[in-house]
Amino acid sequence: MKVKDRMSKNVVTISLDASVNEAFRIMKEKNIRRLPVLDQERLAGIITVNDLNRAAPSSATSLSIFELNYLLAKTKVRDVFPAHQRLITIGPDNYIETAAKLMLEHQISSLPVLDAGQLVGIITETDLFRSLVDILGVKRPHTRIDTLIPEGPGSLAEITGLMADRGINIINTVVYYDPDIDKYKVILRIEELNYEPVVEDLKSRGYSIESVIVNPQVD
């Protein structure tokens, strides 16, 4: 799955010369916490609601509401834009795992998507969470079987072959290494809710079953 498949394409932006009041208004109306900032047509960076809050006068100020509004209306986004902001972006043809890795490495919650230098979208951590839910297939009734597999080739092929022999559809399979026990694990999600025969097949082939969870319906 690529970034272009999950990013928001109709990106709400703001210019460097817009007022802080305007930035606050847009974030409130659109229910968003970040805005890509444009310098003419070029992406200059991202401003967040936290950046705006830091620029706003303290609640202990003696200014009246009219004076506050006037001050925020006169203050430009460029005046409160974080200095020396490092702009981290991604391309639309990158895979979503690359986006997740970048967000984790740089401790950020979104990435502007650039294509040939032009802003074409934005992908957020919420987009990645939704992608994960879809990839794992947890929205459909299923049985999840967690099993340990020996290191080396052939185990996954054998497991999928067992499912094929029984005519069972596999919704999703995840293989990962667990360093705590120095073993590989398989998370197998299948459409079959009557899991006992499947578990017995796996056990008969020497696979250790860690857990079985049946999800007969999805909220």
Side-chain angles (χ1 to χ4, degrees):
M1 189 178 293
K2 293 187 175 182
V3 168
K4 64 185 177 183
D5 301 318
R6 288 293 173 170
M7 69 183 188
S8 298
K9 297 178 182 178
N10 298 320
V11 188
V12 181
T13 64
I14 197 164
S15 74
L16 278 172
D17 291 318
S19 70
V20 169
N21 251 359
E22 178 71 0
F24 270 125
R25 183 190 65 78
I26 292 174
M27 288 187 185
K28 183 177 180 180
E29 286 183 358
K30 303 295 183 181
N31 193 28
I32 54 179
R33 298 182 60 82
R34 61 187 72 82
L35 277 172
V37 180
L38 299 183
D39 184 2
Q40 297 182 5
E41 296 299 319
R42 182 183 65 84
L43 179 66
I46 288 182
I47 195 164
T48 68
V49 68
N50 288 335
D51 296 326
L52 298 180
N53 285 332
R54 281 193 292 269
S58 164
S59 58
T61 181
S62 60
L63 295 175
S64 69
I65 187 65
F66 302 105
E67 291 170 321
L68 281 173
N69 285 334
Y70 177 79
L71 179 62
L72 293 176
K74 298 296 285 185
T75 304
K76 305 296 185 183
V77 169
R78 67 168 66 250
D79 299 326
V80 301
F81 196 64
H84 312 299
Q85 184 182 86
R86 185 181 179 188
L87 184 58
I88 310 297
T89 65
I90 196 166
D93 288 318
N94 285 112
Y95 289 99
I96 58 171
E97 54 264 38
T98 303
K101 184 171 180 288
L102 282 172
M103 289 186 199
L104 187 62
E105 286 178 352
H106 297 282
Q107 299 182 349
I108 53 180
S109 58
S110 65
L111 287 168
V113 184
L114 298 186
D115 189 8
Q118 296 297 308
L119 181 68
V120 295
I122 189 168
I123 188 164
T124 69
E125 57 188 5
T126 301
D127 297 323
L128 297 183
F129 292 150
R130 287 174 178 157
S131 300
L132 180 63
V133 168
D134 289 343
I135 289 171
L136 294 180
V138 296
K139 291 182 177 179
R140 299 160 58 183
H142 66 276
T143 298
R144 168 178 168 158
I145 303 172
D146 290 30
T147 181
L148 302 178
I149 61 172
E151 188 173 353
S155 296
L156 190 58
E158 184 176 40
I159 291 173
T160 56
L162 289 173
M163 301 304 110
D165 290 343
R166 285 190 168 274
I168 294 174
N169 288 328
I170 297 175
I171 296 175
N172 176 269
T173 305
V174 176
V175 181
Y176 70 99
Y177 174 72
D178 187 340
D180 293 334
I181 60 175
D182 192 28
K183 290 184 181 295
Y184 283 89
K185 290 185 178 181
V186 169
I187 299 174
L188 182 69
R189 285 185 173 84
I190 57 176
E191 286 187 333
E192 180 59 58
L193 301 182
N194 180 26
Y195 66 87
E196 288 88 350
V198 175
V199 168
E200 290 306 314
D201 277 351
L202 291 170
K203 287 181 177 179
S204 70
R205 301 295 181 94
Y207 294 103
S208 175
I209 305 299
E210 276 205 324
S211 63
V212 178
I213 300 174
V214 178
N215 292 280
Q217 60 184 14
V218 180
D219 296 334

